[in-house]
Amino acid sequence: MGLVFGLLWLFTGFLQGAHGQGVYAPPTVRIVHSGQACNVEEERYSERVYTIREGETLELQCLVTGHPRPQIRWTKTAGGASDRQGDSSLHNETLKIDNISRHQGGRYYCKAENGLGSPAIRSIRVDVYYLDDPVITVHQSVGEAKEQFYFERTVFLRCVANSNPPVHYTWRRGREALTQGSDSGVEIYEPFFTQGETKILKLKNLRPQDYAEYTCISSVRNVCGIGDKSAHFSLNNRTAPPSIKLLLDDPLVVNPGETITLVCVASGGDPPPTLRWVRPGGEELPRRSVINGGTLTIPAVTVDDGGAYSCMASNNVGNPAKKSTTILVRGLRKGRFWITPDPYHNDDNIQIGREVKISCQVEATPPEELQFSWLKNGRPLRSSERMVITHTDTDVSPGTTNLDIIDLKFTDFGTYTCVASLRNGGTPEISIDVNISSTTVPPELTVPRGRSHLIAQEGDTVDLQCLVSGKPKPIILWSRVEESGGAAAAAVALMPDGSAETESYDGVLRISNLTREMSGTYRCQTSQYNGFNVKPREALIQLVVQFPPTVEPVYTEIRQALGRAFSLTCRLLRAHPARLLRYEWKLGSRLLTVGQFSDQRDDTNYLVRALNREGYGEYTCDITNEAGAGRCTFLVTGKAYAPEFYYDTYSALWENQPRVYGFKLQWTQMEPNAVDRILAYRLGIRQMGQSRWWEQEIPMEGTIQKGELLTYNLTKLVKPDSYLVRLTPITRYGEGDATERIITYSGEFRCGFEDEAMCLFSQDKTDEFDWTRHSAATRDTKYTPNTGPSSDHTGSKQGFYMYIETSRPRLDGDKARLLSPIFNMNSKSSSSSSSATNNPTYCFAFYYHMYGKHIGALNVFLRQKGQTVSDTSVWSLTGNQGDRWRQAKVNIHPTTAFQMMMEGVRGSGIEGDIAIDDVTIEEGECKDPPPKNLRSPAPPSSPHIWQLCVTLSLALIGRQR
């Protein structure tokens, strides 16, 4: 392949592009589908409906025009809200969903934008069709419900199937089809409000013949190839709804670590019901669970496994049966205590002769098994007149016990222990010690000197500390206080770890990796448990987090030509502290200027009066405060911007030699006047899958204008290989930014008339009137009815096509001719003789629409350009062909350079519009033979081997200087 590759591309000329905006154009977008859709129909001019079967592959393509190349993004909405699917945006021309599900139906949007004008947006609604298996449920009339169905009872059979579109139901009894009125004992209720989702069969006063096999057939009438589905139910005198019973205690109290088994059995029901275990609220069963029919086994049960469990039984007869039980796993949690001083005195201290109460609280499962006992200095303590012990009711959770000491004496000082346990054991007891002595005093809270206002910097670690005195020492609760509004009203804010409150046993709150958002007021306060039950003590600490200046731009690139003046600006956004700010400008390591911000300024500028070569490089501006510096970076360069490939070129060229093809490479230069004049382009090309680059320099004369379209023809590209092309602008500064694109060979010429250039089709100058490029979405409201298409051949109202307008002043017999680009023949092949069997054939195909009572004729000619121009008719059709698009194909055998000419002939009246769309010329014979009623000429007597090359009808000339 290396020798065959031997790449030689020929410089065949540049076209002078338009100045100003030139070929720059805002984006346009059109959505087309590939694959087999069930149906594509128009809902409105702005939207199409695409129907697809569930499980098939959805493939939508967003066709865009515009220059520079628009960026494409697919998004989806469903039910008016964004269906994000993990952010369902897709930056690609093609949206492909394999094995599509019903939930992926909805409205899909393609958005294209290139910075010019408004973004272009089109949408298509995807309707996913499906049909689930139907389900038959059986019910007895409410007033006559019994455990079993028997004679002289009314029974309802209800059939339900989820579907899109709405389902159609039919019933059978055995082999007999049941319809309304076919049996006096049978009524069929058509759905009224359920949009075809249900159908009910009523059996009145059940008769012996009603005991039978019933079949419900659901159908969507084979739409999308979805076949019918059916369900069966056998009705007999034993048919009954389910009933169940649980073979276990309720509630079931177990110890942690035990294995429990819940047994549910069906006690009735025909057909035999299906049993399953569930938890309320959709909560999952424990992962260790083992299910065997109606038996649920949970090994090594934990406290988290406790709660309600329900057994459900269903056999599609009547309502499902449900019975529930509760699992209680023994356990004790959250032991707390508090000391309450004598409530009849304002003093919070414990004093001799006063009352003091010690309270102990524990959460227990089950609560009725909770029991408390008290010890004093390790010895059992019983309730007396001065030592009164009380307990809350066992049905109150958490359980609490109180020890009231009346008329406190010196001998009452000591350690009191509250012991909580469960009556039947199964879990360790909880003991809480409380010391009552002369040193037992309520807490006091203070902030160390100089620590109530802290200043730290971002990234630091800081300790907020509150000193707590008293005995016993309570837990310290930390929270944040935010000043809201201007009234200094306190509002709770979240702590740095995201919680509303944080506990501390030593009074210290450590915050690591400080950020500016952590600045604010922090509150420490004593808890009312594990200490004195008194009004909480609290203190506030103000934390200020300093951070370096935040500036913009952090980094920007500036392209400048030599000799020009420009200014650099670095803006201060925020900083703390925001005083005594300094700035420093540098070019590389060379200091340019320094200064200090005034209170009125929030930016600093540096002016370059005339750029020289030494002025290229990286400029930095550092703005500093006590916490550090923020830096603006400006890279000043003379590099040219990247070229912008022009993608709206219709297709690859067809070369005039075997095994090779050509391509017309077109581009514009982004911001050509931003830097020095572009002297040349370096063109690189590499065969895909190879590593070797071939390069050539393309010199440029004169100044390139913004929007000017530049053209370079690549030839001798090997079929059917693809190539990576790289284009790099060169100025006196050096190489600029390169851009790349892939060139792919196409063995056909294709034109759908979507771009205004019409793939270089042109109007004949010798006819009476012209063909018109048109889109149904922009059709004039005064259009002639009963003629012409309502969309392009794909069904899109946004798509374009060509048509002849036959309204006045057109006359009977007037002709409009449309000429294709010129296709060149190989001169060497043309001059040699070949046998007819070696003469290659090409297929010319197009879609046509000929609807209206005044349709004239549509003729296709092969115009060959040898020493003289000759037109040969290859296809012709006259008269009304109906309101639909049809395809025509014809084999052509040119012997020299040629064009295809499409001739529309006006008929006898105004209802004679003729349209064409999607014209193709493809190598090889037509896959489907031309229709017999259409004329197709015989091959020429002197065929030749040749390849096609599209040649611009506009002569290629050198760029104007």
Side-chain angles (χ1 to χ4, degrees), residues 9 14 106 121 134 188 227 292 309 366 368 460 538 589 601 656 686 701 742 744 751 800 812 851 861 874:
W9 53 87
F14 282 98
I121 301 175
I188 299 176
N292 183 11
Y309 289 76
E368 63 271 14
D460 288 352
E538 68 175 44
S589 60
R601 292 289 302 272
N656 58 356
R686 176 173 65 82
E701 300 292 339
I742 294 176
T744 302
C751 182
F800 285 86
D812 188 3
Y851 169 57
F861 295 89
V874 296

Side-chain angles (χ1 to χ4, degrees), residues 801-812:
Y801 54 87
M802 302 295 293
Y803 88 110
I804 59 169
E805 174 57 62
T806 57
S807 300
R808 294 180 178 86
R810 301 277 70 83
L811 300 176
D812 188 3

Side-chain angles (χ1 to χ4, degrees), residues 689-728:
Q690 304 293 324
S691 59
R692 183 178 181 183
W693 282 90
W694 298 78
E695 292 189 341
Q696 177 177 335
E697 194 165 289
I698 307 172
M700 303 297 297
E701 300 292 339
T703 300
I704 299 174
Q705 301 300 317
K706 182 179 177 66
E708 180 180 353
L709 186 63
L710 307 175
T711 300
Y712 187 77
N713 283 346
L714 303 175
T715 62
K716 304 297 188 293
L717 305 177
V718 179
K719 297 179 182 178
D721 296 336
S722 299
Y723 294 86
L724 180 64
V725 176
R726 182 171 62 203
L727 203 59
T728 308

